[in-house]
Amino acid sequence: MKEGVRQFGVPWLSPTSAARLLTCPASVVGLMTGAPPRSPAPSTRTSAGVLAHAALQRWVMADDWRYGDRDGVLIDHFHAVAKDRKVAVAAVMDGRVTEARLEQRASSLGELMRQAGADATAKAEVTLHDNERRLWGTLDLLVTSERGVWLIDLKSGMDAAQSLLPAVIRSQLMIYSHLVTAVHGRAPTWMGVFSLRQGAKQMPVSQSDDSMLLGLLDESRSAWMANDRPALPSPEACRHCTRRPGCDPHWIALRAWEDADGLEGQLLRAQTAENGRTALLVQNGTGSAWVSNMRGEGLQELVGHRVRVMRIRRRKATGQSSDPPQWQATDSSAIASVGD
Ligand code: SF4
């Protein structure tokens, strides 16, 4: 078989899918084969993180980043994006906090980008491909000049705010770095994340780590293509995994996790308050537990079903030790029925 034909059937890996492949092969679904994937259409969602990314893109395209006295214009772009999308910043979850963080961090982001020098050019949302390795990805921010290449991944969440960048983010950065090297012919001079919570966090560029990661990815992808896709549960990998509701290995492993964020059992009661939030009483082999503040409609219809509730927080016990444990839902919580 010709090499090109064989390659055509090899799935493309993005930094996100590659990181999933390395942490839990069973979680990887919907990989694209065939021609190089196209740049994703800009997101039109209105979450605070998406609005911040869109504002950054406008700030870069308008060349405002070049001038220290226009760093503050980033916040004007944030307001303009919100207005275009017909949302009030105050009504968006974390909208006001993100606004304050953008205002606080704009100068340090501008300074980081201007390190590339007066001849630098900056691009936001840059899609790069390595056709040979079948890797691709869209970078948040790429600044290039005679002095080198600055690779910056903008983050608004808690994951990038930890003192040590999590393994998932580090492997994503290494793939971005590889793509920059493959396309621009030189490794990034500076690579890292810009956390809206914590500012810039650099990650050293290492040629040997790059080769090791690529070898590991080739191996893992071949195994995945041969249907060798073990489920490897871990709190970080499972938290937002789309397969989580029906993934039994995950629910078995979760029983031993100290900070478990899920609960399964039979739904005994669902009481909806005037504010539309519902309290759920769930019973399983270890007893019963309340989950309060759950969003969503039609939860009463699940009474009697076996359910799995995800991304909830256990509350500290305040009453008698015999009281049922209390859990609190968050805005990202979800519930799934797994039978009655
Ligand atoms: S829920 Fe966890 S163990 Fe199951 S597929 Fe997803 S990441 Fe893997």
Side-chain angles (χ1 to χ4, degrees):
M1 197 184 297
K2 283 185 188 165
E3 181 63 13
V5 175
R6 195 182 66 77
Q7 279 282 87
F8 218 65
V10 176
W12 286 88
L13 291 176
S14 67
T16 304
S17 56
R20 291 215 74 88
L21 184 66
L22 295 177
T23 48
C24 177
S27 71
V28 178
V29 286
L31 293 182
M32 281 180 281
T33 53
R38 294 200 183 151
S39 309
S43 173
T44 54
R45 289 189 297 120
T46 54
S47 68
V50 170
L51 296 179
H53 272 82
L56 178 76
Q57 196 166 8
R58 289 173 63 133
W59 185 65
V60 168
M61 283 169 67
D63 255 359
D64 290 327
W65 65 275
R66 285 186 185 284
Y67 313 98
D69 59 353
R70 280 174 27 200
D71 287 338
V73 176
L74 181 54
I75 201 72
D76 297 337
H77 288 300
F78 183 68
H79 293 148
V81 173
K83 195 172 169 202
D84 286 354
R85 297 184 187 191
K86 300 185 174 39
V87 284
V89 169
V92 173
M93 189 169 51
D94 288 339
R96 284 286 183 226
V97 183
T98 303
E99 178 189 48
R101 286 181 183 142
L102 276 175
E103 198 158 19
Q104 183 192 2
R105 303 271 172 218
S107 294
S108 49
L109 178 57
E111 278 163 23
L112 174 64
M113 294 168 71
R114 289 190 289 275
Q115 282 178 14
D119 65 324
T121 53
K123 286 184 183 164
E125 305 296 320
V126 186
T127 298
L128 302 174
H129 298 90
D130 175 352
N131 293 335
E132 217 170 289
R133 290 267 180 186
R134 309 281 283 177
L135 296 173
W136 78 293
T138 300
L139 313 176
D140 285 339
L141 201 46
L142 194 65
V143 187
T144 49
S145 74
E146 280 295 312
R147 288 190 197 169
V149 180
W150 272 249
L151 184 174
I152 303 168
D153 197 13
L154 185 72
K155 298 280 186 197
S156 53
M158 268 305 289
D159 46 356
Q162 300 167 30
S163 52
L164 188 68
L165 287 175
V168 168
I169 293 183
R170 282 186 277 127
S171 63
Q172 288 175 350
L173 282 172
M174 281 162 68
I175 290 167
Y176 283 132
S177 162
H178 169 78
L179 288 169
V180 166
T181 310
V183 174
H184 289 263
R186 53 183 173 167
T189 313
W190 193 99
M191 122 170 129
V193 300
F194 191 88
S195 158
L196 287 185
R197 294 165 190 254
Q198 299 272 310
K201 291 187 173 205
Q202 186 174 10
M203 188 178 123
V205 181
S206 153
Q207 202 56 50
S208 58
D209 286 355
D210 182 52
S211 314
M212 214 164 70
L213 178 75
L214 293 177
L216 203 56
L217 275 181
D218 283 347
E219 228 173 80
S220 306
R221 179 164 42 190
S222 299
W224 187 89
M225 288 170 70
N227 278 322
D228 178 7
R229 303 173 187 178
L232 305 174
S234 68
E236 299 75 29
C238 298
R239 184 167 170 76
H240 292 287
C241 176
T242 53
R243 299 199 53 199
R244 188 173 179 185
C247 178
D248 290 336
H250 155 68
W251 288 98
I252 293 167
L254 173 135
R255 292 173 200 156
W257 292 347
E258 203 173 314
D259 278 327
D261 69 338
L263 179 68
E264 65 175 329
Q266 190 183 24
L267 183 61
L268 296 183
R269 278 161 72 184
Q271 293 176 341
T272 303
E274 271 181 21
N275 65 3
R277 301 298 175 104
T278 303
L280 309 169
L281 182 62
V282 179
Q283 187 174 48
N284 58 29
T286 60
S288 55
W290 280 103
V291 180
S292 61
N293 208 34
M294 192 75 192
R295 274 189 185 204
E297 291 174 4
L299 297 176
Q300 281 81 5
E301 288 161 26
L302 297 180
V303 172
H305 286 224
R306 184 163 181 74
V307 294
R308 287 173 168 173
V309 195
M310 293 149 278
R311 295 184 290 280
I312 52 179
R313 274 198 293 259
R314 190 160 184 155
R315 293 163 71 173
K316 285 206 179 93
T318 49
Q320 305 285 324
S321 58
S322 56
D323 289 348
Q326 305 267 333
W327 296 75
Q328 171 102 23
T330 64
D331 284 324
S332 66
S333 299
I335 181 169
S337 165
V338 284
D340 46 21

